[in-house]
Amino acid sequence: MTTTTLNAPVVTATPTGIQSSLALAGRLLLASLFLPAGISKLTGFAGTVGYIQSVGLPFPELAAAVAALVEILGALALIVGYRTRIAALVLGVFTLAASFFFHAYWAAPADAQMMQQLLFNKNIAVTGGLFVLAALGAGCLSLDARRA
């Protein structure tokens, strides 16, 4: 037996031009956080390793390399819309984990708590956007749409 709700939202089978444009803009804006961060991890590798060591994570060289690859490859995937759902999910989980290790405002000195809390909350919001992208996909202006 199926039931229908009279006030359920209607999902159109074909996205409008504005939906496609906004999906592309969203992907590009999200990628704009990760691509420069990944590149800076590579160009400042020793500093990245030191930062990872400072929070006590194991295998800091490996962690730095993995972080750089996740950010660069994930950002490029978002830009072109290739395997977007997977890329967004990986970036979302990565961002969520990084938030707890690198922006633990609850453990920061009092003079650093506000900035760390802002960065933590920004990352949580970015994670939310990435999870929405993982759920809904890249939109029509993507390689994913051409493969379908």
Side-chain angles (χ1 to χ4, degrees), residues 86-124:
I86 294 168
L89 186 59
V90 168
L91 284 168
V93 170
F94 169 82
T95 302
L96 189 60
S99 300
F100 284 95
F101 287 108
F102 298 102
H103 301 299
Y105 66 90
W106 52 88
D111 62 337
Q113 281 186 344
M114 187 170 103
M115 180 56 70
Q116 290 304 317
Q117 186 173 9
L118 287 171
L119 292 170
F120 180 88
N121 288 333
K122 182 254 323 164
N123 279 4
I124 297 303

Side-chain angles (χ1 to χ4, degrees), residues 54-114:
S54 76
V55 298
L57 290 177
F59 310 110
E61 293 87 2
L62 178 62
V66 168
L69 283 174
V70 164
E71 288 179 331
I72 292 169
L73 295 178
L76 292 174
L78 294 185
I79 289 168
V80 299
Y82 179 73
R83 301 210 184 263
T84 307
R85 291 173 188 256
I86 294 168
L89 186 59
V90 168
L91 284 168
V93 170
F94 169 82
T95 302
L96 189 60
S99 300
F100 284 95
F101 287 108
F102 298 102
H103 301 299
Y105 66 90
W106 52 88
D111 62 337
Q113 281 186 344
M114 187 170 103

Side-chain angles (χ1 to χ4, degrees), residues 29-30 44-45 47 49-50 56 59 63-64 75 77 105 119 122 141 144 146:
L29 291 169
L30 286 165
F45 195 75
V49 170
F59 310 110
Y105 66 90
L119 292 170
K122 182 254 323 164
L141 301 175
D144 289 343
R146 292 179 188 262

Side-chain angles (χ1 to χ4, degrees), residues 18-79:
I18 190 71
Q19 289 170 323
S20 297
S21 297
L22 287 173
L24 173 61
R27 292 192 339 259
L28 295 176
L29 291 169
L30 286 165
S32 75
L33 284 172
F34 293 101
L35 188 57
I39 292 169
S40 73
K41 282 178 178 60
L42 287 182
T43 59
F45 195 75
T48 301
V49 170
Y51 188 48
I52 292 170
Q53 283 175 325
S54 76
V55 298
L57 290 177
F59 310 110
E61 293 87 2
L62 178 62
V66 168
L69 283 174
V70 164
E71 288 179 331
I72 292 169
L73 295 178
L76 292 174
L78 294 185
I79 289 168

